[in-house]
Amino acid sequence: MLKSPLQIARSSYQPKLPVALKGNVVLKEGEATQSVADHEEIKALFPNTYGMPILSMVKGEKKPMEPMNVGVILSGGQAPGGHNVISGLYDGLKNLNPQNKLYGFLGGPSGLIEHKYVELTGDIINEYRNTGGFDIIGSGRTKLEEPWQFDKGIEICHELGIRAIVIIGGDDSNTNACVLAEYYLQKGCGIQVIGCPKTIDGDLKNSQIETSFGFDTACKTYSELIGNIQRDANSAKKYWHFIRLMGRSASHIALECALQSQPNICLISEEVEAKNMTLNDIVDGIIKVIVARADAGLNFGTILIPEGLIEFIPAMRRLIAELNDLLATNEGFNALETEDEKRQFVKACLSPESSALFRDLPKGIARQLMLDRDPHGNVQVSQIETEKLLIEMVAKRLAVMKASGTYKGKFSALGHFFGYEGRCAIPSNFDADYCYSIGITATWLIAGGKSGYMALVQNLTAPASEWQAGGVPITMMMNMEKRAGKMKPVIQKALVDLEGAPFKYLAAHRDEWADANTSYIYPGPIQYYGPSEVCDQPTHTLKLEKGAFED
Amino acid sequence: MLKSPLQIARSSYQPKLPVALKGNVVLKEGEATQSVADHEEIKALFPNTYGMPILSMVKGEKKPMEPMNVGVILSGGQAPGGHNVISGLYDGLKNLNPQNKLYGFLGGPSGLIEHKYVELTGDIINEYRNTGGFDIIGSGRTKLEEPWQFDKGIEICHELGIRAIVIIGGDDSNTNACVLAEYYLQKGCGIQVIGCPKTIDGDLKNSQIETSFGFDTACKTYSELIGNIQRDANSAKKYWHFIRLMGRSASHIALECALQSQPNICLISEEVEAKNMTLNDIVDGIIKVIVARADAGLNFGTILIPEGLIEFIPAMRRLIAELNDLLATNEGFNALETEDEKRQFVKACLSPESSALFRDLPKGIARQLMLDRDPHGNVQVSQIETEKLLIEMVAKRLAVMKASGTYKGKFSALGHFFGYEGRCAIPSNFDADYCYSIGITATWLIAGGKSGYMALVQNLTAPASEWQAGGVPITMMMNMEKRAGKMKPVIQKALVDLEGAPFKYLAAHRDEWADANTSYIYPGPIQYYGPSEVCDQPTHTLKLEKGAFED
């Protein structure tokens, strides 16, 4: 067997397209833009790509176009819909002129530098329409930052007659896309660069970009699983499920999944940081809910935990920073033989606050912080199984409370981590439509001679036919931030806004979700067929942000 | 918000029903039956329920029926479709006579003993149609085995005017249902007992029962996730994913998921046992595939691991048995203070073979076997994270091979465990239809005055309209087996048949799946709407067993 029935059926799905992108398009210039902050610095760094106008797309007449070739790159982690950006790009190019060619650089940005590519023909494209994954050309994490890399890009583009490069990536990749665009404009080499907003993490969004693609499908896949686990919890009535969700920097995924499934607890890293909470504060909050539910005879529940939580706890961040400073190159430490000696050494060297925190951590976690280090000697925070850390701390505390008679329930817990299950799911109709439109939009930006722009599709809570397309200067999203000790221009990451509607909805309902016999919602698996209210809905986050959420 | 759009849409799904179950039904008796083995012993134990004929259902005329009340029990682990058995039962009863009542015993068999119940009214039933979970009345693992329990059952049935009890459960629960049926017949108390075949594990099947309900939905949910992970593996090209799947005794789930997704490796416990393989043999097999793929430049892949694997490795089973004998009540061992002393003690006391195996195990696993013990002092085999055990052993071996130059690849591995994600999924159309038919069938068995039967729906690879309904005497599936040192009559568990078509298909294709650049299939999430070939298919296992599989 070669394909599943759904794979076969999805290959003939025709993504829904905004009216504005059907037929021919002309670009309409809006007002000039400026960066979100640090105007002068950004302007100085991007003399050719700063201050460009926002572009919108309206219907226009067909104009004859010279043939052109375009290159495309997938950058960073997988997100559902990447293949549809590429198929939209392909269809858009062929629609402009059947002689146009699309090249895919292989294995991410390194394909451009190392001149590894494939021509994406119709046969190849058709194999990948509406599919998940980035396997059509592969992806990679090489960063395009150095002029020699940019120059290697010029070589291959000139060799293949490539007029524009489309980079599909997250905030960092799009920052680099803009640096590349600026460099090519300064050099006058005639190569345009266009970015496309990708990331399941949902942290690439701003006044213009309503959402990054892949966030919708990934969150719906995780929510399916959370809902199934909640139904199990409510049937078996004997387990607390601690569910860690991918997404290291922002908690958008956990928040969206909570909105879709209404768990008993959802931790939000940004809130933990804003309230300067400690690990003990977090455990306190969990204990409070567990005890209240146990008093009501409910010895089960669900807790969503964002992957990045640990790094948002200010005291933990200080401890990790001290450990990194202390241990990276400490020969005294490395010379010690037993784990116990090492532990004593560490405790003695840390600041009093960090030493106390270190002492209170479960042994396994302390061992991991102390011993599991990356090649630079740094703590491998992403390896920490936060769900197990919390289970252990909660269980310990409950055992003490049980002994003293302040807790009378039973506590059995199971840990889960969901990440790889959703990054390559078959894109939802929303992501399939959105990504295809992004690809078509990118084509028109290229045809219009634009560079340093991100393809823009807006009005996403309306039916796809009413979506608006255009382009936003990447410099408009930038500010200056410290990276590895140096100030750099970067696209501002969107963390969860504690004043925003999605978080406020959670905050307004979480007490009710914590206590209720069950407020659980069971979203079920993504549907591609059937009633539109079942299979074409955007995320709750997006609806709440746009005021389009109906309770 | 109270429900997801899919929950709302599914509530109005009308399960497809076999022609034979539309309208009125009469029971047709087939030939007398006998047990699969141990005829005399089973016959002696079940004088009233042994040798009864197989029943089939054909269209008949409407006969007036006296009102009757029925009780239903959910027993054991959750399986998608349980709510539909109950709604089928409800609709069937109300169709016979609107005055009929259905009572649900709460929290599993203990509800019968403790007289905890609820009347299942139309309002309640309508809330649960086509939903996952067992939360309508809850489930539990109390075993109905003792006469005093049976007598408590009589009390409440007489109080509520209950004429029949329907027990929805796995092999053990159905065995107990038959014991109960026999007891009630011997007592002449006028209470019938009917069983229904439930378990996601797929090990309750035989010449009559084609599949247990829930297996279809659970396997499709796990296969969705496996497919998504495979697409990720093939996009990122840098991880080996070791995926453990629920199902302790039989490997049907792993096998079905392999047929649906075509991973690089799928371990089958029954084969490991039949070939008397050791843990090292298994690691050898995995290493062979990893090295071959690395030589072809493919440093990624997927491995499916049945949860029960450890207990099917004969040498491991001997080690565990020795540890249980050795440590359960060993005061000398318990008095030892350090882990190292305990380890030395254990090594010295084990047989030479087990001692060598114990020494070779990764430390964390050896520690778990030695220290994590249940209240009876037994090793907690189900707590062992087999995927991590295998990752550790494989990594260690590859490191040695790399040092000696016989392996040149890169090995990074990630572990997953899927179980709770699928047990309460929204039932597939297949399970929704199958379970509803089982419920209706059970009603007709009750109306026909039968007891000790299991509701039977067959011909499941045909469209639902062509399914056949009937009843099979539970004694027909029984043989005598040793349980806790005593010979007991039990329903024979169906392990994976190494001569059966599903395993043979795997065996014939696995080398190709192991080596190929990618043979991965991406099943995607369960679809409830859309083309019939996408949303109404039974499992590959069932199709292969019935000769209805098209490659």
Side-chain angles (χ1 to χ4, degrees):
Chain A
M1 218 173 59
L2 289 169
K3 289 185 176 179
S4 69
L6 183 59
Q7 280 179 277
I8 295 165
R10 281 306 278 174
S11 70
S12 58
Y13 175 73
Q14 183 55 47
K16 298 183 278 292
L17 211 56
V19 171
L21 290 178
K22 288 180 180 165
N24 288 287
V25 161
V26 288
L27 302 180
K28 224 178 86 181
E29 293 197 353
E31 303 214 346
T33 59
Q34 52 183 24
S35 57
V36 281
D38 311 311
H39 306 160
E40 294 312 316
E41 291 97 320
I42 308 277
K43 187 173 181 177
L45 288 164
F46 296 92
N48 294 280
T49 50
Y50 188 87
M52 299 187 298
I54 288 194
L55 301 171
S56 57
M57 297 190 176
V58 292
K59 274 196 172 296
E61 293 196 356
K62 181 141 188 151
K63 284 190 296 187
M65 297 270 300
E66 289 293 302
M68 62 176 179
N69 297 342
V70 168
V72 63
I73 296 170
L74 290 165
S75 181
Q78 284 80 252
H83 290 162
N84 269 28
V85 176
I86 294 177
S87 59
L89 202 53
Y90 177 86
D91 290 350
L93 285 171
K94 291 293 177 184
N95 177 49
L96 284 177
N97 188 328
Q99 291 178 57
N100 290 346
K101 284 185 183 173
L102 179 63
Y103 292 97
F105 289 102
L106 299 175
S110 64
L112 180 73
I113 304 165
E114 295 164 11
H115 298 184
K116 292 185 179 157
Y117 62 90
V118 64
E119 188 190 338
L120 293 167
T121 60
D123 285 349
I124 297 175
I125 293 289
N126 288 340
E127 279 292 303
Y128 290 88
R129 290 183 190 272
N130 313 305
T131 60
F134 277 8
D135 41 318
I136 186 170
I137 50 175
S139 183
R141 295 190 183 271
T142 302
K143 291 192 188 306
L144 288 173
E145 290 178 316
E146 305 289 334
W148 71 266
Q149 298 173 320
F150 306 160
D151 292 336
K152 291 297 287 180
I154 296 175
E155 273 178 31
I156 187 67
C157 286
H158 283 171
E159 190 182 319
L160 298 174
I162 286 176
R163 170 177 150 178
I165 299 169
V166 175
I167 295 179
I168 302 170
D171 50 348
D172 280 346
S173 303
N174 275 286
T175 294
N176 294 341
C178 195
V179 173
L180 189 66
E182 179 66 34
Y183 184 88
Y184 286 170
L185 280 167
Q186 285 178 22
K187 275 230 161 175
C189 66
I191 305 169
Q192 304 157 238
V193 183
I194 299 294
C196 298
K198 172 230 72 169
T199 170
I200 64 161
D201 295 347
D203 55 7
L204 172 48
K205 63 179 174 182
N206 47 54
S207 66
Q208 300 299 315
I209 302 292
E210 296 181 359
T211 189
S212 55
F213 78 76
F215 177 67
D216 182 83
T217 307
C219 287
K220 283 175 178 163
T221 303
Y222 304 142
S223 296
E224 171 199 356
L225 303 180
I226 295 163
N228 289 356
I229 286 173
Q230 292 190 151
R231 192 123 216 176
D232 203 297
N234 186 39
S235 298
K237 299 191 192 297
K238 61 181 178 185
Y239 292 117
W240 274 88
H241 295 268
F242 286 60
I243 305 170
R244 179 167 50 114
L245 294 164
M246 195 173 255
R248 264 190 74 188
S249 56
S251 301
H252 297 292
I253 290 179
L255 176 55
E256 172 63 23
C257 291
L259 297 173
Q260 286 193 31
S261 63
Q262 302 188 171
N264 299 109
I265 299 177
C266 175
L267 302 174
I268 299 292
S269 302
E270 290 85 344
E271 184 183 27
V272 165
E273 183 175 43
K275 293 186 174 171
N276 198 16
M277 290 169 79
T278 65
L279 199 47
N280 275 331
D281 293 335
I282 294 170
V283 171
D284 282 344
I286 295 172
I287 292 280
K288 204 177 134 200
V289 174
I290 291 177
V291 170
R293 287 179 66 79
D295 287 344
L298 307 170
N299 289 301
F300 64 92
T302 49
I303 304 182
L304 305 190
I305 304 160
E307 189 181 12
L309 183 70
I310 288 291
E311 291 171 278
F312 278 79
I313 300 171
M316 278 295 289
R317 201 159 47 202
R318 283 193 296 272
L319 168 61
I320 290 166
E322 286 184 38
L323 283 171
N324 284 340
D325 285 349
L326 180 65
L327 304 182
T329 56
N330 192 312
E331 290 175 11
F333 173 80
N334 290 331
L336 295 174
E337 282 196 1
T338 73
E339 196 181 313
D340 211 50
E341 286 171 343
K342 292 193 178 195
R343 193 190 315 277
Q344 296 308 330
F345 177 89
V346 165
K347 274 198 248 177
C349 294
L350 291 171
S351 69
E353 294 75 21
S354 292
S355 185
L357 173 56
F358 186 76
R359 194 190 55 222
D360 288 348
L361 288 175
K363 272 203 175 160
I365 303 292
R367 183 189 299 136
Q368 217 177 351
L369 286 177
M370 197 169 63
L371 302 179
D372 290 356
R373 314 185 71 76
D374 73 12
H376 308 289
N378 288 320
V379 171
Q380 296 191 288
V381 184
S382 68
Q383 302 292 318
I384 296 175
E385 294 174 307
T386 319
E387 72 282 16
K388 293 194 177 166
L389 165 68
L390 290 175
I391 288 174
E392 204 169 326
M393 293 186 72
V394 165
K396 207 170 155 185
R397 190 86 69 83
L398 287 174
V400 172
M401 291 174 69
K402 193 151 189 169
S404 74
T406 48
Y407 168 66
K408 293 178 181 64
K410 285 184 193 172
F411 180 72
S412 297
L414 294 166
H416 309 262
F417 171 54
F418 297 135
Y420 299 92
E421 292 77 2
R423 303 197 312 176
C424 287
I426 301 176
S428 62
N429 287 351
F430 175 86
D431 270 328
D433 299 347
Y434 181 41
C435 288
Y436 190 75
S437 291
I438 289 173
I440 300 271
T441 299
T443 322
W444 288 111
L445 292 173
I446 296 166
K450 304 300 173 185
S451 191
Y453 274 85
M454 193 181 290
L456 180 66
V457 178
Q458 294 176 319
N459 198 29
L460 297 171
T461 53
S465 61
E466 299 167 28
W467 292 353
Q468 305 293 328
V472 52
I474 297 175
T475 52
M476 186 186 177
M477 312 172 198
M478 289 188 179
N479 63 0
M480 300 299 291
E481 291 179 22
K482 208 171 186 176
R483 295 284 168 96
K486 276 163 69 177
M487 291 305 286
K488 290 250 183 186
V490 293
I491 294 178
Q492 202 176 46
K493 216 182 249 302
L495 298 184
V496 168
D497 177 3
L498 301 183
E499 296 302 319
F503 178 78
K504 282 193 164 174
Y505 189 93
L506 174 74
H509 290 81
R510 58 185 164 187
D511 288 346
E512 169 197 331
W513 299 348
D515 293 343
N517 194 329
T518 156
S519 302
Y520 299 149
I521 291 176
Y522 313 116
I526 295 176
Q527 296 298 296
Y528 303 94
Y529 306 94
S532 182
E533 69 272 17
V534 171
C535 57
D536 291 323
Q537 298 300 310
T539 58
H540 290 23
T541 298
L542 191 55
K543 285 189 190 177
L544 282 161
E545 284 171 344
K546 306 278 283 181
F549 187 75
E550 285 170 34
D551 207 348
Chain B
M1 217 171 60
L2 289 169
K3 290 185 177 181
S4 71
L6 183 59
Q7 280 180 274
I8 295 165
R10 281 306 277 175
S11 70
S12 58
Y13 175 72
Q14 183 56 47
K16 297 184 278 292
L17 211 55
V19 171
L21 290 179
K22 288 180 179 164
N24 288 287
V25 161
V26 288
L27 303 181
K28 225 177 86 181
E29 293 196 353
E31 303 214 345
T33 59
Q34 53 183 24
S35 58
V36 283
D38 311 311
H39 305 160
E40 294 312 314
E41 290 98 320
I42 308 276
K43 188 174 178 177
L45 289 164
F46 296 92
N48 295 281
T49 50
Y50 188 88
M52 300 187 296
I54 288 194
L55 301 171
S56 58
M57 295 188 178
V58 294
K59 273 195 174 298
E61 294 196 355
K62 182 144 188 147
K63 284 191 293 187
M65 297 269 299
E66 288 293 302
M68 63 177 178
N69 297 341
V70 168
V72 63
I73 296 170
L74 290 165
S75 181
Q78 284 79 251
H83 289 162
N84 269 29
V85 176
I86 294 176
S87 59
L89 202 52
Y90 177 86
D91 291 350
L93 285 171
K94 292 293 177 185
N95 177 49
L96 284 177
N97 187 328
Q99 290 179 55
N100 289 347
K101 285 186 183 172
L102 179 62
Y103 291 97
F105 289 103
L106 299 175
S110 64
L112 180 72
I113 304 166
E114 296 164 11
H115 300 183
K116 292 187 179 155
Y117 63 90
V118 65
E119 187 190 337
L120 293 167
T121 60
D123 285 350
I124 297 175
I125 293 290
N126 288 339
E127 278 293 302
Y128 290 89
R129 289 182 190 273
N130 312 305
T131 59
F134 277 8
D135 41 318
I136 186 170
I137 49 175
S139 184
R141 295 188 184 273
T142 302
K143 289 191 191 308
L144 288 175
E145 288 177 316
E146 306 289 334
W148 71 267
Q149 297 174 321
F150 306 161
D151 292 335
K152 293 297 286 181
I154 296 176
E155 272 177 31
I156 187 68
C157 287
H158 284 170
E159 189 182 318
L160 298 173
I162 287 177
R163 169 177 151 178
I165 299 169
V166 175
I167 296 179
I168 303 170
D171 49 349
D172 279 346
S173 303
N174 275 285
T175 295
N176 294 342
C178 194
V179 173
L180 189 66
E182 179 66 34
Y183 184 88
Y184 286 171
L185 281 167
Q186 285 179 21
K187 276 231 162 176
C189 65
I191 305 168
Q192 303 158 235
V193 184
I194 299 294
C196 297
K198 171 230 72 172
T199 169
I200 64 162
D201 294 348
D203 54 8
L204 172 48
K205 64 179 172 181
N206 47 55
S207 66
Q208 300 298 316
I209 301 293
E210 296 181 357
T211 188
S212 55
F213 77 77
F215 177 67
D216 182 84
T217 306
C219 287
K220 283 174 178 164
T221 302
Y222 304 142
S223 296
E224 170 199 357
L225 303 180
I226 295 163
N228 288 356
I229 286 173
Q230 291 191 149
R231 193 124 217 174
D232 202 296
N234 186 38
S235 298
K237 298 190 193 297
K238 61 179 176 185
Y239 292 116
W240 274 88
H241 294 268
F242 286 60
I243 305 169
R244 178 166 52 112
L245 294 165
M246 196 172 257
R248 266 189 74 187
S249 55
S251 300
H252 297 292
I253 289 179
L255 175 54
E256 172 63 24
C257 291
L259 297 172
Q260 286 193 31
S261 63
Q262 301 189 174
N264 300 109
I265 299 177
C266 175
L267 302 174
I268 299 292
S269 301
E270 290 85 344
E271 184 183 26
V272 165
E273 183 176 44
K275 294 187 173 170
N276 198 15
M277 291 170 77
T278 65
L279 200 48
N280 275 330
D281 293 336
I282 294 170
V283 171
D284 283 344
I286 295 172
I287 292 279
K288 205 176 134 198
V289 174
I290 291 176
V291 170
R293 287 179 66 81
D295 287 345
L298 306 171
N299 289 300
F300 65 92
T302 48
I303 304 182
L304 305 190
I305 304 160
E307 189 183 12
L309 183 70
I310 288 291
E311 291 170 278
F312 278 79
I313 300 170
M316 278 295 288
R317 202 160 44 201
R318 283 192 298 271
L319 168 62
I320 290 167
E322 286 185 37
L323 284 171
N324 284 340
D325 285 347
L326 181 64
L327 304 182
T329 55
N330 193 312
E331 290 176 11
F333 172 81
N334 291 331
L336 295 174
E337 281 197 1
T338 73
E339 195 181 314
D340 211 48
E341 286 171 343
K342 293 191 178 199
R343 193 189 313 279
Q344 295 309 328
F345 176 88
V346 165
K347 274 198 250 178
C349 295
L350 291 171
S351 68
E353 295 74 20
S354 291
S355 185
L357 173 57
F358 186 76
R359 194 189 56 222
D360 288 349
L361 287 175
K363 271 207 177 154
I365 303 292
R367 183 187 301 135
Q368 217 177 351
L369 286 177
M370 197 168 63
L371 303 179
D372 289 356
R373 314 185 71 77
D374 73 12
H376 309 288
N378 288 319
V379 171
Q380 295 192 289
V381 183
S382 68
Q383 302 291 318
I384 296 175
E385 294 175 308
T386 320
E387 72 282 16
K388 293 195 178 165
L389 164 68
L390 290 175
I391 288 174
E392 203 170 328
M393 293 186 73
V394 165
K396 206 170 157 186
R397 189 88 69 83
L398 287 174
V400 172
M401 291 175 68
K402 192 148 192 174
S404 75
T406 48
Y407 168 66
K408 295 179 178 64
K410 283 184 194 171
F411 179 72
S412 296
L414 294 166
H416 308 263
F417 171 54
F418 297 135
Y420 299 93
E421 293 77 2
R423 304 198 311 175
C424 288
I426 301 176
S428 63
N429 287 352
F430 175 86
D431 271 328
D433 298 348
Y434 181 42
C435 289
Y436 190 74
S437 291
I438 288 174
I440 300 272
T441 299
T443 322
W444 288 110
L445 291 173
I446 296 166
K450 304 300 174 187
S451 191
Y453 274 85
M454 193 181 290
L456 180 66
V457 178
Q458 294 178 320
N459 198 29
L460 297 171
T461 54
S465 61
E466 299 168 27
W467 292 352
Q468 303 294 328
V472 53
I474 297 175
T475 52
M476 185 185 176
M477 312 171 196
M478 288 190 180
N479 64 1
M480 300 298 292
E481 291 178 22
K482 208 172 187 177
R483 296 283 167 96
K486 275 163 69 178
M487 291 307 285
K488 290 249 183 186
V490 294
I491 294 179
Q492 202 176 46
K493 217 183 247 303
L495 299 184
V496 168
D497 177 5
L498 302 182
E499 296 302 318
F503 178 78
K504 282 192 163 173
Y505 189 93
L506 173 75
H509 290 83
R510 57 185 165 187
D511 288 347
E512 170 197 330
W513 299 349
D515 293 344
N517 194 330
T518 155
S519 303
Y520 298 150
I521 290 177
Y522 312 116
I526 294 176
Q527 296 297 297
Y528 303 93
Y529 306 94
S532 183
E533 69 272 17
V534 171
C535 58
D536 292 322
Q537 297 300 309
T539 59
H540 290 23
T541 298
L542 191 55
K543 285 189 191 177
L544 283 160
E545 285 172 342
K546 305 277 286 179
F549 188 75
E550 286 171 32
D551 208 350

